[in-house]
Amino acid sequence: MARVKKIINDPENIVSEVLDGYVAASQGKLRRTEGRVLVRTDIEPGKVGLVIGGGSGHEPVYTSYVGKGLADASVAGNIFAAPAPQFVTAAVKAVDQGKGVLMVYGNYAGDVLNFDLGAEEATDDTGVEVRTVLVADDCATPDLDTRRGIGGGFYQVKIAGAACAEASSLEEAEAAVIKCKDNLRTLGVAVSAGSLPETGEPTFTLGDDEIEIGLGAHGEVGVERSKLMPADELTKKMIDHIVADLPYKSGDRVAMLVNNLGATTQMELMIVTRKAYELLGELGIGIARTDIGAFFCSQEMAGFSISLLKLDDQLEHLLNAPCESITYSQG
């Protein structure tokens, strides 16, 4: 595979320059604090704080989702690497408004270690109470405790943002986000690899006629490697796997996220969406909301993921609540 071309400057400055871009585009609504932390400048006094974050290279997750009705701060690591604990500490301190801080990030060993260390330091320094609800939606991983956090993380962050804005306590916000996590499942498929911007080298290899179902965002092994198949056949295979995992059943209402992993066209996403609607309709599962586009990428990885979130009145209200950020807003 040829070296991937990137429009960058010094690779060592990628993360810092990305954060500076968000600050510039925010027109005063975001600021940078210690290290690689992006913070709202207009956090409402007395709210439950929300910190999100993870490795860079997956934009818009997580850095983009800082704003009113979403996160109060994000912490960025190097490309595909966990943020440093001291930056997590800085983020927690920056958003604490006296009601505690909720952290939402992907279930990866490095992130769990460093976020936990950073939260402990913040608590030791200030006494702030910090709780965590991991994103763990990837149903390609059989073990619930080790499930990776992938595209459905957008829904979990969206619901966490609304819950933290509305909740009277940290416990109340945490309970809503746990409910979201428990009812959220995602499965992805890769057609070709993304790359590491520092080297231009691919993160994994696939044959010209191969796909991998369930591949992780960093190239982790999936559940099945097979020959490229028609879109309808692939979508059915994925929907069947997702629906069986929760399981979802006739009469359920869901939100569906069709996520572009980086280099897939809107044409392909709409073909998949059409078939997913047909399949879920045959199962008696109603789709209350659909989101289509790039929410969790892996550089220029070609492929997509499908997420289903089973809704009740509370989750639907929180998902539809107003929010505003650089890359995603709704009234």
Side-chain angles (χ1 to χ4, degrees), residues 113-165:
L113 175 63
N114 288 359
F115 272 88
D116 281 355
L117 288 172
E120 289 172 8
E121 183 67 26
T123 299
D124 290 345
D125 288 350
T126 67
V128 59
E129 183 177 4
V130 183
R131 298 193 182 185
T132 297
V133 183
L134 296 173
V135 180
D137 57 319
D138 186 0
C139 58
T141 312
D143 185 350
L144 292 174
D145 291 333
T146 60
R147 285 196 158 175
R148 304 175 292 227
I150 53 173
F154 168 71
Y155 278 163
Q156 193 161 320
V157 168
K158 173 66 190 71
I159 282 173
C164 288

Side-chain angles (χ1 to χ4, degrees), residues 3 26 31 53 74 78 102 116 174 191 228 238 240 289 303:
R3 181 184 174 93
S26 77
R31 64 181 176 89
S74 68
N78 286 329
L102 186 66
D116 281 355
E174 178 191 35
V191 178
L228 184 64
M238 295 173 69
D240 286 349
R289 167 179 171 145

Side-chain angles (χ1 to χ4, degrees), residues 10 35 51 87-88 224 285 293 331:
D10 185 338
V51 172
F87 301 150
V88 176
E224 178 185 344
I285 297 171

Side-chain angles (χ1 to χ4, degrees), residues 20-325:
D20 287 344
Y22 282 114
V23 171
S26 77
Q27 297 186 327
K29 294 181 180 178
L30 300 176
R31 64 181 176 89
R32 286 185 65 178
T33 183
E34 180 180 336
R36 295 170 173 176
V37 181
L38 203 61
V39 185
R40 292 177 58 198
T41 58
D42 57 350
I43 301 174
E44 297 84 357
K47 76 179 293 289
V48 176
L50 176 60
V51 172
I52 61 175
S56 298
H58 300 296
E59 292 78 15
V61 161
Y62 282 94
T63 308
S64 300
Y65 302 133
V66 180
K68 188 173 184 179
L70 291 165
D72 299 308
S74 68
V75 192
N78 286 329
I79 305 297
F80 302 161
Q86 64 267 29
F87 301 150
V88 176
T89 302
V92 170
K93 290 180 177 179
V95 307
D96 177 27
Q97 300 293 310
K99 282 189 178 175
V101 174
L102 186 66
M103 300 198 303
V104 174
Y105 57 89
N107 187 23
Y108 296 90
D111 292 274
V112 172
L113 175 63
N114 288 359
F115 272 88
D116 281 355
L117 288 172
E120 289 172 8
E121 183 67 26
T123 299
D124 290 345
D125 288 350
T126 67
V128 59
E129 183 177 4
V130 183
R131 298 193 182 185
T132 297
V133 183
L134 296 173
V135 180
D137 57 319
D138 186 0
C139 58
T141 312
D143 185 350
L144 292 174
D145 291 333
T146 60
R147 285 196 158 175
R148 304 175 292 227
I150 53 173
F154 168 71
Y155 278 163
Q156 193 161 320
V157 168
K158 173 66 190 71
I159 282 173
C164 288
E166 296 182 10
S168 60
S169 67
L170 178 59
E171 293 79 8
E172 181 183 335
E174 178 191 35
V177 183
I178 289 173
K179 184 194 292 187
C180 172
K181 174 187 176 182
D182 290 345
N183 288 282
L184 177 65
R185 299 291 188 272
T186 301
L187 188 67
V189 60
V191 178
S192 65
S195 68
L196 293 170
E198 298 93 335
T199 66
E201 297 298 320
T203 53
F204 61 92
T205 57
L206 275 174
D208 290 342
D209 61 346
E210 286 185 322
I211 62 172
E212 185 150 359
I213 298 173
L215 191 83
H218 313 100
E220 300 94 337
V221 65
V223 294
E224 178 185 344
R225 184 170 287 204
S226 67
K227 299 299 183 182
L228 184 64
M229 63 189 75
D232 284 2
E233 182 181 346
L234 176 59
T235 305
K236 184 177 189 314
K237 186 180 286 282
M238 295 173 69
I239 289 292
D240 286 349
H241 188 110
I242 296 167
V243 168
D245 192 87
L246 188 60
Y248 300 84
K249 60 185 186 299
S250 179
D252 285 344
R253 286 182 302 121
V254 300
M256 180 171 71
L257 176 71
V258 182
N259 172 60
N260 180 356
L261 292 175
T264 301
T265 64
Q266 192 76 2
M267 174 191 76
E268 295 163 279
L269 297 180
M270 297 312 298
I271 291 171
V272 167
T273 300
R274 153 199 155 275
K275 186 62 177 179
Y277 259 80
E278 176 188 317
L279 294 167
L280 292 171
E282 291 172 354
L283 294 169
I285 297 171
I287 303 175
R289 167 179 171 145
T290 309
D291 295 275
I292 305 168
F295 296 90
F296 186 117
C297 297
S298 191
Q299 294 298 290
E300 61 286 291
M301 185 186 291
F304 66 93
S305 63
I306 299 174
S307 303
L308 296 181
L309 172 62
K310 186 166 74 172
L311 298 170
D312 63 7
D313 290 344
Q314 180 191 28
L315 292 180
E316 189 166 10
H317 163 74
L318 294 171
L319 191 59
N320 291 332
C323 66
E324 180 181 357
S325 72

